[in-house]
Amino acid sequence: MNYLPDSDSEDEMPPGWTEQVTEEGIVLYRNNQTGCTQWTHPRTGRTKRISGDLPIGWRMSYDEKSECNVFFNTETKQTTLVDPRLAFAVEEPPRTISQVRQRFDGSSTALQVLHGKNLHGHVAVITGANSGIGYETARSLAFHGCEVIFACRNKYSTDQAIERIAKERPATRNRLRFAQLDLASFKSVYLFVEDIKSKVKHLDYLILNAGVFALPYTLTEDNIETTFQVSHLSHFYITLELEPLFDHKTRVVVLSSESHRFASLPTDNLTVQHLSPPPKKYWSMMAYNNVKLCNVLFTLELAKRWKHRGICVFSVHPGNMVSTQLQRNWWFYRLLFAIVRPFTKSLQQAAATTIYCATANELTGLTGLYFNNCYICESSKISQNEKLQQQLWEISQEMVQLLLAKEKQQQAADDNEINTTTNFVY
């Protein structure tokens, strides 16, 4: 990480930067030109924390108009937005994994993880939230006051899912809404991102839950193998495009699987053909394993790139062979999942790890971790290959740029056709 050059005072703030203090007492650094916030000092890369009460003679109040705390010195009669405790902030050592104790396990439910939490004012986007684990994740967050955006393809089934939650808890009705998203269509993904950016000011949770499993070989309308585009590439674009809505409070949770340990991606010379293979080299189960590895690789690379921002990025394994609609594409898997259903997690238990990663206070300051059964677990050796992480990122970026160029070209052609028609009419 390259920090700004030192000045006469190492802790002096660069032009355009200000310090703030969070409710937890952590010093937050804000770039007023970009609006971005981060935990680390822009010059030193260090984190700081304040402790104790306000100095004698100081009072704090909340200003509704400016939506921030205001500090008043009773002796000088001066008012300021700068917390006087910042002058006594002390450097804090980086948070480590060893400081996280296990509070939940594989039998814990999402609602147990959320017990006692108040999520009013928080906003979550969950892909594939109309069924399965995504539905239980949305339901659990909504029960605790969170506003949930259901990013789904089918409006009818999503409206039904929202209605079921609202019948259980009528107070949630105004906090749940549908957003059109077909992950197999880049046009839909592009329009979804633009819609969210125009309507949402801040995102607390981005939960990349949707995916497909055991598909026969199919290509999307963008001529990309469906499993890869739906489960990785579209989510990759969504995450990067929604970055302006993220700050130090935001958490990104990517649903992966223990299947990532059985992937076959090469560690050298990764190509598009490995990620979106031709029919002769396609096997549905390996396509799933590979894309689950992509989920972990993406998480680790994203965590490195955003670590200075304080944005937490985690990947999770929800559970083995959980009974969802994921297995609907082949009768054999439907039968197999039905047989093992009594021995696997319930949907509430399967959603617990996602909920834990999104909301647990003890994970603040940590990022790039893989979780199983609500606790930190070491991901596969291949997923920790930094070269492979970078290769996937670069290929994904190139593919997205090509799709984006085509989409903008198509939009320009559509606009030109409209203008031509209008001129003809007049």
Side-chain angles (χ1 to χ4, degrees):
M1 183 65 63
N2 293 322
Y3 297 103
L4 296 172
D6 291 336
S7 62
D8 293 338
S9 172
E10 190 180 46
D11 284 336
E12 182 181 340
M13 297 296 292
W17 287 79
T18 54
E19 294 175 301
Q20 301 172 3
V21 178
T22 68
E23 295 177 359
E24 298 82 13
I26 302 174
V27 178
L28 182 70
Y29 301 93
R30 177 183 177 84
N31 185 331
N32 295 314
Q33 294 178 339
T34 64
C36 293
T37 57
Q38 60 189 59
W39 293 119
T40 55
H41 191 288
R43 289 189 187 276
T44 66
R46 301 183 187 124
T47 57
K48 288 188 175 183
R49 179 185 287 272
I50 62 168
S51 59
D53 299 325
L54 289 169
I56 297 174
W58 284 88
R59 294 177 183 173
M60 179 178 70
S61 61
Y62 184 77
D63 183 62
E64 296 286 348
K65 188 175 181 180
S66 61
E67 297 183 343
C68 62
N69 291 323
V70 175
F71 302 90
F72 179 69
N73 189 323
T74 57
E75 295 181 3
T76 64
K77 309 301 181 184
Q78 293 180 321
T79 300
T80 178
L81 298 176
V82 179
D83 191 321
R85 292 172 294 182
L86 283 169
F88 309 102
V90 295
E91 189 173 317
E92 186 178 48
R95 191 167 182 79
T96 62
I97 296 174
S98 61
Q99 294 174 287
V100 181
R101 64 181 181 87
Q102 184 167 3
R103 296 191 292 127
F104 305 100
D105 56 27
S107 63
S108 302
T109 67
L111 290 173
Q112 287 173 339
V113 172
L114 285 171
H115 179 71
K117 285 191 177 291
N118 181 357
L119 302 181
H120 285 84
H122 291 68
V123 181
V125 165
I126 307 175
T127 64
N130 59 341
S131 65
I133 298 171
Y135 172 79
E136 285 300 327
T137 303
R139 174 175 171 268
S140 302
L141 291 174
F143 280 7
H144 285 261
C146 187
E147 178 184 341
V148 181
I149 299 172
F150 288 62
C152 305
R153 180 181 57 181
N154 190 310
K155 187 178 188 305
Y156 176 73
S157 64
T158 303
D159 288 342
Q160 287 186 315
I162 290 174
E163 187 60 28
R164 287 198 302 274
I165 296 173
K167 280 185 177 180
E168 282 191 85
R169 299 282 179 89
T172 65
R173 189 177 299 275
N174 295 329
R175 297 198 297 268
L176 309 176
R177 66 183 178 90
F178 166 76
Q180 181 72 52
L181 174 63
D182 182 357
L183 292 166
S185 165
F186 186 76
K187 180 177 182 179
S188 175
V189 172
Y190 174 81
L191 293 175
F192 165 78
V193 165
E194 295 305 306
D195 179 56
I196 296 297
K197 288 195 292 189
S198 68
K199 295 177 180 177
V200 178
K201 293 182 178 180
H202 176 264
L203 272 181
D204 296 276
Y205 316 119
L206 175 61
I207 299 175
L208 306 176
N209 165 84
V212 290
F213 172 76
L215 283 182
Y217 185 81
T218 54
L219 296 178
T220 66
E221 64 183 51
D222 304 301
N223 205 36
I224 298 171
E225 193 277 312
T226 304
T227 302
F228 175 70
Q229 181 165 342
V230 168
S231 300
H232 167 71
L233 192 63
S234 292
H235 281 152
F236 175 87
Y237 177 75
I238 289 170
T239 305
L240 298 192
E241 284 299 304
L242 293 184
E243 183 186 359
L245 307 182
F246 301 161
D247 66 8
H248 63 284
K249 297 179 181 179
T250 302
R251 296 194 182 179
V252 179
V253 183
V254 186
L255 266 72
S256 180
S257 168
E258 282 290 276
S259 294
H260 86 276
R261 301 185 188 278
F262 308 103
S264 63
L265 294 181
T267 54
D268 290 314
N269 301 318
L270 183 69
T271 66
V272 175
Q273 285 68 37
H274 293 117
L275 302 169
S276 179
K280 291 182 179 180
K281 295 186 178 181
Y282 179 82
W283 176 34
S284 62
M285 194 64 228
M286 190 55 67
Y288 181 76
N289 295 346
N290 286 344
V291 84
K292 293 295 104 178
L293 174 59
C294 288
N295 295 151
V296 182
L297 292 168
F298 170 54
T299 298
L300 293 170
E301 183 66 20
L302 184 66
K304 286 186 291 186
R305 292 170 183 257
W306 284 0
K307 186 175 183 179
H308 70 288
R309 295 265 323 267
I311 300 171
C312 299
V313 187
F314 304 119
S315 57
V316 306
H317 170 60
N320 295 315
M321 302 180 73
V322 179
S323 182
T324 68
Q325 294 184 22
L326 193 67
Q327 69 275 14
R328 64 185 180 275
N329 297 300
W330 192 22
W331 68 267
F332 173 76
Y333 286 118
R334 292 198 299 272
L335 176 62
L336 181 60
F337 275 60
I339 292 172
V340 302
R341 183 173 183 176
F343 312 102
T344 60
K345 289 183 179 181
S346 68
L347 291 176
Q348 258 291 306
Q349 290 171 328
T353 304
T354 299
I355 292 292
Y356 176 74
C357 288
T359 64
N361 292 332
E362 61 264 32
L363 300 183
T364 299
L366 298 176
T367 190
L369 301 174
Y370 176 72
F371 285 78
N372 186 3
N373 292 330
C374 295
Y375 197 63
I376 301 161
C377 175
E378 187 173 358
S379 61
S380 65
K381 185 176 180 180
I382 189 174
S383 71
Q384 298 173 43
N385 186 306
E386 293 191 2
K387 183 178 179 181
L388 187 58
Q389 294 166 15
Q390 294 169 6
Q391 285 180 330
L392 175 65
W393 184 282
E394 291 167 2
I395 291 173
S396 301
Q397 212 165 32
E398 290 171 4
M399 294 178 74
V400 160
Q401 287 171 352
L402 288 173
L403 292 173
L404 187 59
K406 289 180 180 178
E407 178 59 29
K408 290 184 176 180
Q409 187 178 17
Q410 183 60 49
Q411 282 190 336
D414 292 343
D415 292 342
N416 184 59
E417 184 177 345
I418 292 172
N419 292 334
T420 302
T421 304
T422 304
N423 291 335
F424 176 77
V425 171
Y426 283 98

